[in-house]
């Protein structure tokens, strides 16, 4: 009954209530010790993404880390709901350049071994649209992880993607939250990689 009620509330809610009411309530529910509450909250988040994509896209810098944490839950039902919610919220991003790579990026978030597959998808991307905070929130966690790889060629691929993407960042404010995620790893590449072209 509670799940039916939450589904009805989300379906009736005005899109402007998303950032101030619905998402904060869903985030609070993710702190519940009960796995069913977490799974239902993630399912509602996916529902909100379909109903209010513009509002969810603006909130991606906050949503992605929160949902990513749920992927590692001990209950497989929560993990499954988290993956579905993550894909749904990432698909609200309006950047047409990264749309084809979103499934690979979401897969890499849940399976770190597939990080380089996602980076390869991004290497094949020609960035022409403006890169905003929403787009950066999707890509930066994967690029940061890719920069930590031991393989120098893989680090180079991440650097190329970051360079291509950074030329189209719409404002310094958009990139500021992601600096701590990428800058330390980029400095390590400069200091530790032997090959001149990668540095």
């Amino acid at each position: 009954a509670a799940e039916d009620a939450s589904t009805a509330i989300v379906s009736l809610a005005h899109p402007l209530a998303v950032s101030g009411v619905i998402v904060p309530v869903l985030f609070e529910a993710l702190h519940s010790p009960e796995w069913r509450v977490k799974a239902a909250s993630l399912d509602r988040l996916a529902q909100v993404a379909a109903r209010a994509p513009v509002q969810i896209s603006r909130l991606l810098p906050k949503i992605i880390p929160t949902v990513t944490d749920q992927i590692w839950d001990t209950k497989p039902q929560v993990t499954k709901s988290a993956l579905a919610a993550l894909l749904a919220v990432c698909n609200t991003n309006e950047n047409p350049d990264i749309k084809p790579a979103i499934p690979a990026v979401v897969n890499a978030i849940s399976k770190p071994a597939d990080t380089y597959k996602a980076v390869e998808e991004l290497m094949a991307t020609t960035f022409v649209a403006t890169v905003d905070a929403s787009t950066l929130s999707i890509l930066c966690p994967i690029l940061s992880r890719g920069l930590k790889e031991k393989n120098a060629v893989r680090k180079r691929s991440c650097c190329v993607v970051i360079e291509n993407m950074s030329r189209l960042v719409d404002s310094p404010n958009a990139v500021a939250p992601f600096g701590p995620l990428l800058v330390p790893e980029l400095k390590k590449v400069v200091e530790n990689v032997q090959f001149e072209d990668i540095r």
Side-chain angles (χ1 to χ4, degrees):
E3 193 169 336
D4 292 342
S6 67
T7 303
I9 289 168
V10 168
S11 67
L12 294 171
H14 193 281
L16 295 178
V18 168
S19 63
V21 179
I22 294 175
V23 170
V25 169
L26 295 177
F27 280 6
E28 190 61 37
L30 293 176
H31 296 296
S32 170
E34 177 60 44
W35 70 264
R36 286 178 184 86
V37 173
K38 291 181 183 181
S41 175
L42 291 162
D43 292 343
R44 294 302 68 76
L45 188 58
Q47 181 186 355
V48 173
R51 218 170 123 49
V54 173
Q55 287 77 12
I56 291 293
S57 181
R58 289 186 194 134
L59 295 172
L60 284 181
K62 291 179 183 172
I63 292 174
I64 289 177
T66 304
V67 174
T68 300
D69 289 344
Q70 301 304 314
I71 288 174
W72 311 112
D73 196 271
T74 54
K75 282 288 187 183
Q77 297 90 331
V78 174
T79 299
K80 183 180 176 187
S81 291
L83 280 169
L86 190 60
L87 185 60
V89 298
C90 286
N91 278 325
T92 65
N93 181 273
E94 296 175 348
N95 188 317
D97 301 337
I98 69 158
K99 279 271 187 214
I102 285 177
V105 170
V106 170
N107 184 52
I109 289 172
S110 65
K111 297 178 186 167
D114 290 345
T115 298
Y116 190 62
K117 289 180 185 172
V119 173
E120 283 180 321
E121 287 260 354
L122 295 172
M123 280 284 291
T125 302
T126 303
F127 288 95
V128 282
T130 301
V131 175
D132 59 3
S134 168
T135 305
L136 291 168
S137 68
I138 296 169
L139 302 182
C140 285
I142 293 302
L143 294 170
S144 174
R145 191 186 300 153
L147 288 170
K148 294 175 186 170
E149 296 240 357
K150 290 184 176 19
N151 186 316
V153 174
R154 292 180 176 189
K155 288 182 186 209
R156 180 187 181 282
S157 297
C158 291
C159 291
V160 168
V161 172
I162 291 168
E163 180 185 11
N164 292 342
M165 183 177 70
S166 65
R167 292 179 182 154
L168 295 164
V169 171
D170 64 352
S171 75
N173 292 339
V175 79
F178 306 101
L181 198 60
L182 294 178
V183 173
E185 296 306 321
L186 286 168
K187 283 182 179 175
K188 287 179 190 172
V189 170
V190 170
E191 292 164 6
N192 301 325
V193 174
Q194 296 173 350
F195 306 107
E196 184 71 34
D197 65 321
I198 296 175
R199 284 185 274 154

